[in-house]
Amino acid sequence: MAKPHKSLPRPFLALVFIGLSLNLARAQTDPLPSWNDTAPKKSIIAFVQAVTKEGGPDFVPVADRIAAFDNDGTLWVESPVYTQVAFAFDRVKQLAPQHPEWKKEQPFEGILDGDMKAVAASGEKGLFQVIIATSTGMTSAQFEKTVSDWLAQTHDKKFNHLYTELIYQPMLELLAYLRSNGFKTFIVSGGEVGFMRPWTENAYGIPPDQVVGSTMKTQLQMQDGTPVIMRLPQISFVDDGPGKPVGIDTFIGQRPIAAFGNSDGDQQMLEWTAAGPGARFMLLVHHTDAEREYAYDRTSSVGKLDKALDEAAAKGWTVVSMKDDWKKIFAFQ
Amino acid sequence: MAKPHKSLPRPFLALVFIGLSLNLARAQTDPLPSWNDTAPKKSIIAFVQAVTKEGGPDFVPVADRIAAFDNDGTLWVESPVYTQVAFAFDRVKQLAPQHPEWKKEQPFEGILDGDMKAVAASGEKGLFQVIIATSTGMTSAQFEKTVSDWLAQTHDKKFNHLYTELIYQPMLELLAYLRSNGFKTFIVSGGEVGFMRPWTENAYGIPPDQVVGSTMKTQLQMQDGTPVIMRLPQISFVDDGPGKPVGIDTFIGQRPIAAFGNSDGDQQMLEWTAAGPGARFMLLVHHTDAEREYAYDRTSSVGKLDKALDEAAAKGWTVVSMKDDWKKIFAFQ
């Protein structure tokens, strides 16, 4: 007996059914499971849906989906001291036997004696001195190995975890969510590129060439007939504050449509991002969770968040309260 | 009647058949149709097959498949003058009414009078002076528009084509072939990034952030309450010769496994590429075709190829003779 011609052939029905199931499964998979269903998560998803909706008023072609992320305090822990500073201080202790003069020279003396007041008194100039003394005068390959070895061995004091485990799980999900929607994700950090590139691919899925940061002056030299890149004792570019839009323009060559930061050092990057045409997304991570991480903002010596917090309120930028908006902070929690 | 249990069900056989057909189609599609079947093409294909063969002795993971291409003379025409220089000379003529002093100042005077001997006599210093005078003191957005407008209107004298049409078809195929095999393709050029980034994506499929080049000093400034990147009258980095490995290290942060150039300015980039471990590929484009393009090498004022040509012979780097190894040079030919 012939089937009524209106009914669809069974294999076709099966395909429709499979299709529906896949769509349901997709809709049910939360791309940001470590985020509470509060305003920041909703604004992120609304933005991504708007810029990826073909034919929609806010559609942005894949080539222009550039997202810039600060690193310290935005993707990983920066308190009580920036990880690169912890590294430099450890290097001072390690190299001290070869530098007897450091015993009587600040800020080296303070670092060796554990006198953080003396170290702080030397200011940014002292800090740059320490960074130059501990991370130049060697090849880029030697420095990469030094950084990798230190990160593989050193646990932080509060959590007793490797620094590369002190990365924010909700931000990892956000990076993956943006990439799965055609975004190219960049780091734009005050940290030095040579300190970040050895590990950002494993930690964040961000390859070395998508890491923008401060740079040391370098030079091509020959060592035993082999070319090497020598790190010279001079900071050539500081990728912080007004330096961040400059770093973006120099390294990326395109204005981001989304920018993520956590401090006043990110203010100009967010302003630069906001000043472009079309849909824009600016977000600040606010450290509000003294229990699960740290709580600090307007008066902090690291990641000071003051002017940018006011600007976020005035301009409607998204502000994430780590305490209220994140279900978990680290994967291990 | 039941089928013999050994035979495969028909839908499965159909799938196998489709699979075989697809494989045959793939094998029959030549990835480099504009290349003659001479040694360079064979060496390229052998290298790509070796580094992509999982489990093979030369296998390279996708993350490390970095390829660096010089631009002028390697991807597009550089003779009789580098395109950026042609642009700067046109700008001098255009801006001359606002600079009466140029009438009595070399090399501007020579450019305005068509006295190329006087221009040449001013050397590299004079050239940098012209580039600074014609491409700074404006925002990055203004410069981008100036470059794009010029490229959209200006035809070269020999071929009467837009400069963005004077790109080498065999190299386009090579870029696409490498990318389809998991390579990330970068430009590493002596040209200025601001001059290249407006058009490299359309011309080569290379996005702005994968363009490494010489840079101008820039600064974040406010114009009527809007942030802009101002191009200052100072060259901050020259990405040529020994600068190329430095540019690679600073911008890309990874050593390429394959590098492509055409002049002594690429020598250190090829040496830097060759000095890494594992399989390596170094190629020089030799301009040998006076009829279809240009013929020049050891004594040329652009793209001088002398020491690098000797080193290629000594070290077995691949040398492409444009006349003998390329079926066509431009898509329009």
Side-chain angles (χ1 to χ4, degrees):
Chain A
M1 202 178 91
K3 288 170 185 167
H5 77 276
K6 275 183 197 165
S7 74
L8 291 162
R10 214 176 283 191
F12 185 72
L13 275 175
L15 281 175
V16 168
F17 201 72
I18 291 170
L20 282 172
S21 311
L22 284 173
N23 275 335
L24 283 170
R26 204 176 296 144
Q28 282 164 355
T29 306
D30 182 348
L32 302 172
S34 298
W35 293 68
N36 286 320
D37 290 322
T38 44
K41 177 174 178 172
K42 286 174 188 164
S43 67
I44 290 166
I45 290 174
F47 170 74
V48 170
Q49 287 177 343
V51 298
T52 55
K53 190 187 159 86
E54 268 191 75
D58 294 322
F59 178 73
V60 175
V62 166
D64 297 332
R65 292 183 202 158
I66 303 292
F69 288 81
D70 170 58
N71 185 36
D72 297 305
T74 299
L75 295 179
W76 77 346
V77 164
E78 66 180 352
S79 194
V81 291
Y82 300 112
T83 306
Q84 189 175 352
V85 173
F87 164 78
F89 286 8
D90 276 6
R91 290 274 296 157
V92 166
K93 291 170 199 159
Q94 201 184 343
L95 295 171
Q98 298 151 50
H99 293 273
E101 75 279 11
W102 284 354
K103 280 187 191 156
K104 301 212 163 178
E105 193 189 327
Q106 292 295 2
F108 301 97
E109 186 185 346
I111 293 167
L112 294 172
D113 296 346
D115 178 0
M116 285 303 124
K117 266 193 187 166
V119 176
S122 76
E124 195 178 69
K125 198 186 151 207
L127 186 62
F128 283 178
Q129 239 182 309
V130 172
I131 286 175
I132 285 170
T134 55
S135 68
T136 65
M138 65 187 94
T139 69
S140 55
Q142 286 167 334
F143 186 62
E144 182 179 334
K145 186 177 173 349
T146 307
V147 170
S148 299
D149 288 351
W150 184 82
L151 284 170
Q153 295 163 5
T154 314
H155 288 221
D156 87 300
K157 293 208 174 60
K158 176 162 178 170
F159 303 100
N160 194 27
H161 270 267
L162 297 176
Y163 286 99
T164 46
E165 291 167 349
L166 298 182
I167 60 182
Y168 306 136
Q169 179 62 24
M171 296 305 281
L172 282 188
E173 294 166 6
L174 176 55
L175 285 166
Y177 175 54
L178 289 174
R179 287 195 289 259
S180 74
N181 280 282
F183 279 78
K184 205 162 181 175
T185 54
F186 291 83
I187 287 175
V188 179
S189 167
E192 199 248 317
V193 289
F195 183 75
M196 295 186 283
R197 286 174 172 163
W199 54 272
T200 55
E201 176 119 46
N202 279 341
Y204 307 132
I206 296 182
D209 66 289
Q210 288 167 223
V211 176
V212 179
S214 298
T215 55
M216 295 292 172
K217 194 165 169 54
T218 59
Q219 191 181 46
L220 184 69
Q221 294 184 359
M222 295 301 281
Q223 276 187 356
D224 306 324
T226 302
V228 298
I229 300 288
M230 183 57 67
R231 294 168 58 90
L232 304 181
Q234 190 188 324
I235 294 171
S236 60
F237 172 62
V238 177
D239 190 51
D240 195 35
K244 289 206 175 192
V246 169
I248 287 170
D249 189 68
T250 305
F251 284 75
I252 305 177
Q254 269 184 292
R255 193 195 299 254
I257 64 166
F260 305 83
N262 78 298
S263 79
D264 286 358
D266 302 312
Q267 191 176 6
Q268 286 90 346
M269 174 168 77
L270 270 61
E271 289 172 352
W272 176 243
T273 301
R280 302 276 140 182
F281 191 79
M282 283 65 62
L283 181 149
L284 286 172
V285 174
H286 192 184
H287 291 259
T288 52
D289 197 328
E291 200 177 315
R292 293 186 301 173
E293 201 239 10
Y294 297 97
Y296 57 89
D297 47 32
R298 295 185 190 272
T299 59
S300 176
S301 63
V302 292
K304 181 178 171 179
L305 176 62
D306 183 34
K307 289 181 186 170
L309 195 56
D310 293 337
E311 188 169 354
K315 297 193 174 165
W317 296 346
T318 297
V319 178
V320 167
S321 163
M322 289 174 78
K323 187 174 179 179
D324 304 318
D325 297 319
W326 286 356
K327 277 185 198 155
K328 63 157 75 173
I329 297 195
F330 304 114
F332 59 78
Q333 276 174 338
Chain B
M1 203 176 91
K3 288 172 188 167
H5 77 277
K6 276 184 198 164
S7 74
L8 290 162
R10 214 173 286 190
F12 185 73
L13 276 176
L15 282 176
V16 167
F17 201 72
I18 291 170
L20 282 173
S21 312
L22 285 173
N23 275 335
L24 283 171
R26 205 177 295 145
Q28 283 163 353
T29 306
D30 182 350
L32 302 172
S34 299
W35 293 67
N36 286 319
D37 289 322
T38 44
K41 177 174 178 172
K42 286 174 188 163
S43 67
I44 291 166
I45 291 174
F47 170 74
V48 169
Q49 286 177 343
V51 298
T52 56
K53 189 186 159 86
E54 269 191 76
D58 293 322
F59 178 73
V60 175
V62 167
D64 297 331
R65 292 184 201 157
I66 303 292
F69 288 80
D70 169 57
N71 184 37
D72 298 304
T74 299
L75 295 179
W76 77 347
V77 165
E78 67 180 351
S79 193
V81 291
Y82 299 113
T83 307
Q84 190 175 350
V85 173
F87 164 77
F89 285 8
D90 276 5
R91 291 275 295 157
V92 166
K93 291 169 198 160
Q94 200 184 343
L95 296 170
Q98 297 151 51
H99 293 274
E101 75 279 11
W102 285 354
K103 280 186 191 155
K104 303 212 163 181
E105 195 188 324
Q106 294 294 4
F108 301 98
E109 187 186 344
I111 293 168
L112 295 172
D113 297 344
D115 178 0
M116 285 302 125
K117 266 194 186 167
V119 175
S122 75
E124 195 177 69
K125 199 185 150 205
L127 187 63
F128 283 179
Q129 237 183 311
V130 172
I131 286 174
I132 284 169
T134 55
S135 68
T136 66
M138 66 187 93
T139 68
S140 55
Q142 286 167 333
F143 186 63
E144 183 179 333
K145 187 177 173 343
T146 306
V147 170
S148 299
D149 289 350
W150 183 82
L151 283 170
Q153 293 162 6
T154 313
H155 288 223
D156 88 300
K157 291 204 175 64
K158 175 163 177 169
F159 302 100
N160 194 27
H161 270 268
L162 296 175
Y163 286 99
T164 47
E165 292 166 349
L166 298 182
I167 60 183
Y168 305 136
Q169 178 62 24
M171 295 305 281
L172 282 187
E173 293 165 8
L174 176 55
L175 285 166
Y177 175 54
L178 290 173
R179 287 195 291 259
S180 74
N181 280 283
F183 279 79
K184 205 163 181 174
T185 53
F186 291 83
I187 286 174
V188 179
S189 167
E192 199 247 316
V193 289
F195 183 76
M196 295 185 282
R197 285 173 172 163
W199 53 271
T200 54
E201 176 118 45
N202 279 340
Y204 307 132
I206 296 182
D209 66 290
Q210 288 167 225
V211 176
V212 179
S214 298
T215 55
M216 295 292 173
K217 195 166 167 57
T218 59
Q219 190 181 46
L220 184 69
Q221 295 184 0
M222 296 300 281
Q223 277 188 353
D224 307 323
T226 302
V228 297
I229 301 289
M230 183 57 68
R231 293 167 59 88
L232 305 181
Q234 192 187 321
I235 294 172
S236 60
F237 172 60
V238 177
D239 189 51
D240 194 35
K244 289 206 175 190
V246 169
I248 288 169
D249 189 69
T250 306
F251 284 75
I252 305 177
Q254 269 183 292
R255 193 195 300 252
I257 64 166
F260 305 82
N262 77 296
S263 79
D264 285 358
D266 302 312
Q267 190 177 8
Q268 287 89 346
M269 173 168 78
L270 269 60
E271 289 172 353
W272 176 244
T273 301
R280 302 275 140 182
F281 191 79
M282 284 65 62
L283 181 149
L284 286 173
V285 173
H286 191 184
H287 292 259
T288 51
D289 197 328
E291 201 178 313
R292 294 186 301 174
E293 201 238 9
Y294 296 97
Y296 56 90
D297 48 30
R298 295 186 190 270
T299 60
S300 175
S301 64
V302 293
K304 181 180 170 179
L305 176 61
D306 183 33
K307 287 182 187 170
L309 194 57
D310 293 337
E311 188 169 353
K315 297 193 174 165
W317 296 347
T318 297
V319 178
V320 166
S321 162
M322 290 174 78
K323 188 175 178 180
D324 303 319
D325 298 319
W326 286 358
K327 277 186 198 153
K328 62 158 74 174
I329 296 194
F330 305 115
F332 59 78
Q333 278 174 335

